[in-house]
Amino acid sequence: MDQVPDPEELIEAAIQWHFDPRTGSRFWLERARTLDFDPRRDVRTFADLRLFPNVANELRDIRVEDLIPTGYGPKADVVGVFESGGTTGAPKRVVLLADWMNCLMTHQMQVMDERGDPRDVDWLSLGPSGPHLFGEIATWQARLRGGMKFSIDMDPRWVKKCLRDGRTEEADRYAEHLIDQGVFVLETQDIGIMMTTPPLLERIARRDELVSLINEKLQLIIWGGAQMDADTRDLFRTEIFPEVRLCGTYGSTMILGTATERTGLTENDPMIFDPFSPYISFSVVDPVTGEDVAYGERGQVVMNHISKSMLLPNNLERDVATRIQPLPRQLGDSVADVTPVAVFENEAVIEGVY
Amino acid sequence: MSELLQLEALGSSGPYRTRNRLTISDLTGTPVAELSLVPRLFVQRSLAALHLAHTVPADERARVIAQAGQAFATGIIGGLSIEEYQHIVSRVSGMPISVVRTATEAITHSAAEAYRSAVRARPHGSVHDWRDPLTRRGDAVWTRRARVLAVHAPGNEPAVHTQWLEALALGYRVAVRPSQREPFTPHRLITALREAGFGTGHVVLLPTDHSVADDIIRAADRAMVYGGQQVVNKYGNDNTVLSQGPGRSKILLTDDDWQPHLDTIVDSVSALGGMACINATAVFVEGDPTPVAEAIAERLAAIPSLPPDDDKAVLPTQPLAVAKATERYLLDHAGNATAHLGGDGIVDDLGDGSAVMRPAVFQVDRSDAPQTGIELAFPCVWVAPWSRAEDIQPLKNTLVLTVINGDEALIDRLVDEPTISNVYIGDHPTHWMRPGIPHDGYLAEFLMRTKAMIRD
């Protein structure tokens, strides 16, 4: 798995594996019957992945055993079951197998080495653990880089529920409670790397003493789980955490991993994320026509996960991004300046003079 | 395109240009400027700076605000002369240029009077300063309730920005979130205030998109929010937020002798382009409303359709699509009202993507007809019958009520009615305003309190 395969070879092999009655998961073998094409015959290229329907919603009520390819045998090495945030109703569930986690971690260690990220420092994960992938990734990364991981758990579903119900004050109190707990760790332990979310980072920025402590102590802040715009990134880099490197990630439960902020971006560059090609790949499409938008244009993000452990193609995410030229030999595109699907200010308000 | 005027945010450490910029276009859709929209983190840090700033002494505040008001109307600010500024505001907001010019003068005048206006609200039973010898035997000191005021500003009329100048005069630090339709006025005013000597940590301009708007309010101690009925519903129960909703200003004519007052009536409907909360939305007539509606319609019909930057323009202009949407809304909601003007539509297409909003005069048959509460941003008036038997019920929920020929008993009742903010008797149009006379109560009632003090 250290060798990154040729993209089309991966697609070919994965499709054969997932739709072969001897190796495929019960989910895909059953689902194949209702497809109006034969994946093993018709899907060979990246473009062919668009033939697949978006099955993400079906992951809300599927038995997770049915997601594991039978080719792994009865004793597949399962790292864990992970769930989406639950923004749009019941959560979507995926199973993460050990071979995929090892593959992902090998890649991420390479990325971190290339970036010059520290080894042998302790980590603080200030963000979701529980059914979410966020904390699990921190656990593995810390271990592989020779650090101990401290953890403050956050339940993002509760926060969303509070906000949806208009209980902003409760969400505020909860977030402050999380940071209060993080302070105990940061004050007493040798934390070198913190993983957290942009909203928590914004709250941290309100506490001058904590900001000073982080500037003194930390070498790296990895953020993810929500989006950050480039203007905010600059404020963090230049005014708030000038002594700490900031690296962003853009991920989804539905790709069983994250894309990493491209290194070496200047303040004039958009905030670009490169996926772990060819296993994870992105397109940026016009939400109405489904066609790719031009490079530099904004569109909705489509994600694919293709590995031996899982196939989740053609998943239209609720994110908007700029389509960016891929790196050499990359499958699909890179994305930049990711934002949630726009909620437009009500421009149709007519009555009244203001 | 690269030469577009840049309206930067005015943060606590100076002007700030973001990547996230909103293009502001004129009525024909031609881009005019780019407005830097700041993220939440910037809002948070700017408000934190306002909380930390020290209050400027009153004498200095009054002087600087007056000086800024002068510069606003005469200087080159942000690269724009006053004529260029007025032209842009007119071309972007559709407000007649003569109205913009008058508003400019009002801003200068109000700035000169901001301190005097603000302190007129001080209770008789209080002193300005704890050093006043009266406090030696015990007295009240008039003090700020809080320190930082957020303003969600509207874009309908430049002179509304004179209101928060009073807060600044009282020693509040102020954060203004401008309207995305017309951010030019607060940008110019705050730039002028800074050039005249206000520190950047005392008054900031924070253009944001909708998702961050509430953060400004939450991070401030008090807030003023302009908007429609939904704003009033949202913040009505929050006593730290002063919501400025629809004005629903009205005129009451209590006998047949209304003809000598027609100028006042027509002026109340059509001054300021009919775009303000102090324009009359409804006219209540004791007796037959038909001749009144006909007379108003005849006068308003004579107003020519002109582009907003024409010196003689009186009517507002909007992008054609907005004008048509407003027309549809009006005609959909007119119901069984009788049209005296505008029944076939109010849109006069100028052929360049914009349209003049022609006046509308509708007559309803009952004083409690729901149409009388429909306030639209052009000269649009509902004429309704009224009788003494109905008493003041139909006249409630009113920013300004002008009463022609009212008797003393009736006026007593109107002045006593809590939901009527201002009562004008006789030939005074609903849009009459003066610095130092409250617009909807003194702003200082919301910003200030008294504190007991006794000292040796």
Side-chain angles (χ1 to χ4, degrees):
Chain A
M1 275 294 190
D2 285 359
Q3 284 309 102
V4 173
D6 171 79
E8 299 220 336
E9 280 172 24
L10 175 76
I11 293 172
E12 167 96 37
I15 296 292
Q16 294 304 324
W17 166 265
H18 288 290
F19 292 95
D20 186 320
R22 293 163 300 178
T23 52
S25 67
R26 196 162 158 182
F27 170 75
W28 272 122
L29 293 177
E30 299 242 326
R31 195 66 178 76
R33 291 188 206 155
T34 54
L35 298 176
D36 55 6
F37 60 97
D38 176 358
R40 287 198 282 178
R41 188 189 65 216
D42 300 331
V43 177
R44 300 188 183 280
T45 65
F46 182 65
D48 295 339
L49 295 173
R50 302 264 174 103
L51 290 171
F52 283 103
N54 185 357
V55 298
N57 276 326
E58 297 165 37
L59 302 180
R60 296 184 198 277
D61 45 21
I62 195 92
R63 273 176 82 237
V64 292
E65 285 82 357
D66 293 348
L67 292 172
I68 301 173
T70 50
Y72 280 89
K75 292 274 176 202
D77 191 354
V78 175
V79 170
V81 178
F82 296 95
E83 296 184 358
S84 63
T87 322
T88 47
K92 292 169 269 191
R93 239 168 245 114
V94 295
V95 185
L96 201 147
L97 301 184
D99 62 341
W100 165 247
M101 193 55 141
N102 287 325
C103 174
L104 179 68
M105 283 300 132
T106 304
H107 166 70
Q108 296 207 331
M109 289 307 112
Q110 273 172 10
V111 169
M112 294 187 83
D113 287 340
E114 283 162 17
R115 279 199 311 231
D117 291 354
R119 287 183 176 275
D120 306 323
V121 297
D122 291 342
W123 289 53
L124 170 61
S125 170
L126 183 57
S129 51
H132 308 287
L133 199 48
F134 186 99
E136 186 73 14
I137 286 181
T139 302
W140 282 64
Q141 287 179 327
R143 205 182 76 202
L144 290 168
R145 292 195 86 73
M148 285 184 281
K149 190 196 90 166
F150 295 78
S151 186
I152 306 295
D153 178 44
M154 168 200 181
D155 180 355
R157 294 176 190 165
W158 182 249
V159 177
K160 282 173 190 160
K161 195 168 196 166
C162 290
L163 295 177
R164 198 176 49 220
D165 297 348
R167 288 177 288 133
T168 38
E169 207 172 296
E170 189 169 346
D172 281 350
R173 274 174 32 220
Y174 179 54
E176 292 302 314
H177 166 65
L178 298 178
I179 295 170
D180 288 343
Q181 296 173 80
V183 169
F184 292 126
V185 178
L186 287 165
E187 280 179 342
T188 56
Q189 305 300 319
D190 299 336
I191 305 298
I193 298 177
M194 178 168 72
M195 249 178 89
T196 190
T197 67
L200 286 174
L201 215 46
E202 288 182 358
R203 286 175 177 277
I204 287 171
R206 294 183 192 167
R207 302 193 187 188
D208 291 344
E209 283 181 24
L210 183 54
V211 168
S212 304
L213 179 68
I214 287 173
N215 271 313
E216 277 165 34
K217 209 166 210 176
L218 293 193
Q219 297 172 56
L220 177 65
I221 293 170
I222 301 172
W223 58 263
Q227 281 92 31
M228 183 189 293
D229 64 65
D231 291 316
T232 301
R233 173 192 62 179
D234 266 24
L235 289 171
F236 276 127
R237 279 185 180 171
T238 57
E239 291 192 16
I240 299 161
F241 300 121
E243 307 299 324
V244 187
R245 237 167 0 99
L246 254 81
C247 288
T249 62
Y250 170 48
S252 161
T253 317
M254 296 298 107
I255 50 173
L256 295 95
T258 57
T260 315
E261 186 182 353
R262 191 175 289 180
T263 44
L265 295 175
T266 70
E267 59 178 273
N268 296 317
D269 292 314
M271 194 149 41
I272 300 173
F273 296 95
D274 300 313
F276 175 24
S277 168
Y279 304 105
I280 294 170
S281 53
F282 298 151
S283 307
V284 182
V285 302
D286 180 323
V288 177
T289 65
E291 299 294 317
D292 284 349
V293 300
Y295 286 112
E297 298 293 317
R298 311 261 312 151
Q300 210 166 334
V301 179
V302 175
M303 295 184 169
N304 306 288
H305 175 101
I306 312 164
S307 71
K308 189 178 174 186
S309 71
M310 184 63 149
L311 174 69
L312 268 176
N314 205 21
N315 174 33
L316 185 68
E317 283 284 333
R318 298 170 70 237
D319 296 327
V320 170
T322 306
R323 185 182 178 206
I324 299 290
Q325 290 274 4
L327 296 171
R329 293 181 302 283
Q330 177 182 321
L331 187 62
D333 294 312
S334 292
V335 298
D337 295 338
V338 184
T339 56
V341 168
V343 182
F344 291 104
E345 199 157 352
N346 188 353
E347 291 175 308
V349 175
I350 294 165
E351 205 172 324
V353 294
Y354 296 130
Chain B
M1 288 289 280
S2 58
E3 294 302 308
L4 282 183
L5 180 68
Q6 291 296 323
L7 289 184
E8 287 154 338
L10 301 171
S12 54
S13 19
Y16 177 68
R17 188 179 300 189
T18 60
R19 291 172 188 71
N20 183 18
R21 295 198 289 268
L22 178 78
T23 302
I24 312 277
S25 299
D26 73 10
L27 300 161
T28 68
T30 307
V32 173
E34 283 187 332
L35 178 67
S36 282
L37 300 181
V38 302
R40 176 175 286 111
L41 184 61
F42 191 86
V43 166
Q44 189 178 303
R45 290 175 71 70
S46 300
L47 270 291
L50 295 188
H51 281 284
L52 287 174
H54 293 289
T55 302
V56 177
D59 188 33
E60 178 76 1
R61 299 194 301 261
R63 186 185 66 72
V64 171
I65 294 169
Q67 191 184 325
Q70 274 296 324
F72 183 91
T74 54
I76 291 183
I77 296 174
L80 295 179
S81 69
I82 184 64
E83 290 79 15
E84 287 166 324
Y85 153 78
Q86 288 165 339
H87 185 76
I88 288 175
V89 168
S90 177
R91 290 299 303 164
V92 165
S93 70
M95 171 170 283
I97 186 94
S98 63
V99 179
V100 180
R101 289 183 187 131
T102 308
T104 307
E105 289 164 21
I107 287 171
T108 303
H109 185 48
S110 295
E113 298 290 327
Y115 184 75
R116 187 197 303 276
S117 302
V119 300
R120 274 176 55 93
R122 181 174 59 83
H124 277 296
S126 69
V127 294
H128 272 296
D129 189 321
W130 68 268
R131 293 171 193 81
D132 192 304
L134 291 172
T135 60
R136 289 203 186 271
R137 297 190 56 195
D139 211 313
V141 184
W142 203 44
T143 58
R144 287 176 286 279
R145 285 182 190 274
R147 300 188 175 85
V148 176
L149 174 72
V151 181
H152 275 203
N156 65 323
E157 217 277 283
V160 295
H161 293 283
T162 57
Q163 291 200 302
W164 57 259
L165 286 180
E166 291 189 15
L168 213 52
L170 289 168
Y172 269 79
R173 273 83 78 188
V174 179
V176 179
R177 178 192 182 236
S179 142
Q180 296 190 348
R181 265 190 300 168
E182 200 277 274
F184 300 93
T185 300
H187 192 277
R188 183 176 181 87
L189 190 50
I190 292 174
T191 305
L193 285 162
R194 289 174 167 205
E195 287 175 0
F198 256 105
T200 54
H202 287 86
V203 55
V204 297
L205 181 78
L206 301 176
T208 70
D209 68 22
H210 192 62
S211 65
V212 188
D214 270 355
D215 289 69
I216 302 181
I217 293 179
R218 278 205 298 275
D221 301 318
R222 309 227 128 203
M224 277 178 87
V225 181
Y226 295 78
Q229 190 61 43
Q230 61 290 31
V231 161
V232 178
N233 298 344
K234 180 173 177 185
Y235 296 109
N237 292 326
D238 186 341
N239 61 10
T240 66
V241 178
L242 185 65
S243 51
Q244 306 275 291
R248 300 196 176 121
S249 296
K250 301 175 179 67
I251 295 174
L252 174 64
L253 308 172
T254 60
D255 67 22
D256 288 340
D257 187 29
W258 51 267
Q259 266 146 338
H261 309 286
L262 189 58
D263 282 350
T264 301
I265 301 166
V266 170
D267 190 34
S268 295
V269 175
S270 63
L272 305 168
M275 298 168 86
C277 54
I278 46 182
N279 283 114
T281 298
V283 176
F284 291 89
V285 184
E286 187 181 27
D288 184 5
T290 306
V292 178
E294 284 170 350
I296 299 171
E298 188 188 337
R299 290 281 292 275
L300 292 177
I303 303 174
S305 290
L306 294 167
D309 49 358
D310 188 300
D311 286 346
K312 296 193 187 65
V314 171
L315 299 173
T317 303
Q318 287 297 315
L320 185 58
V322 174
K324 283 190 166 165
T326 307
E327 176 181 82
R328 206 174 313 123
Y329 187 90
L330 170 68
L331 298 179
D332 284 353
H333 289 74
N336 59 357
T338 307
H340 290 271
L341 188 63
D344 300 326
I346 49 109
V347 172
D348 195 353
D349 191 345
L350 288 175
D352 60 358
S354 69
V356 171
M357 313 266 282
R358 301 282 318 162
V361 180
F362 282 79
Q363 184 179 340
V364 291
D365 59 7
R366 297 194 334 264
S367 65
D368 63 350
Q371 291 98 318
T372 59
I374 297 178
E375 175 171 319
L376 297 170
F378 72 100
C380 174
V381 66
W382 307 89
V383 182
W386 178 82
S387 71
R388 289 187 190 248
E390 290 165 305
D391 199 28
I392 65 166
Q393 186 59 32
L395 307 171
K396 290 181 178 177
N397 299 308
T398 300
L399 179 59
V400 186
L401 176 66
T402 288
V403 183
I404 307 277
N405 299 329
D407 62 73
E408 207 170 315
L410 177 65
I411 292 166
D412 276 341
R413 307 255 299 124
L414 294 171
V415 172
D416 193 47
E417 168 54 38
T419 68
I420 300 174
S421 296
N422 305 316
V423 180
Y424 300 169
I425 313 295
D427 261 326
H428 304 285
T430 51
H431 59 77
W432 182 87
M433 276 183 88
R434 290 291 179 279
I437 310 297
H439 168 66
D440 189 5
Y442 284 117
L443 182 58
E445 293 168 31
F446 173 65
L447 298 177
M448 304 294 279
R449 58 167 291 187
T450 50
K451 232 175 235 197
M453 175 171 256
I454 186 161
R455 61 191 175 112
D456 296 331

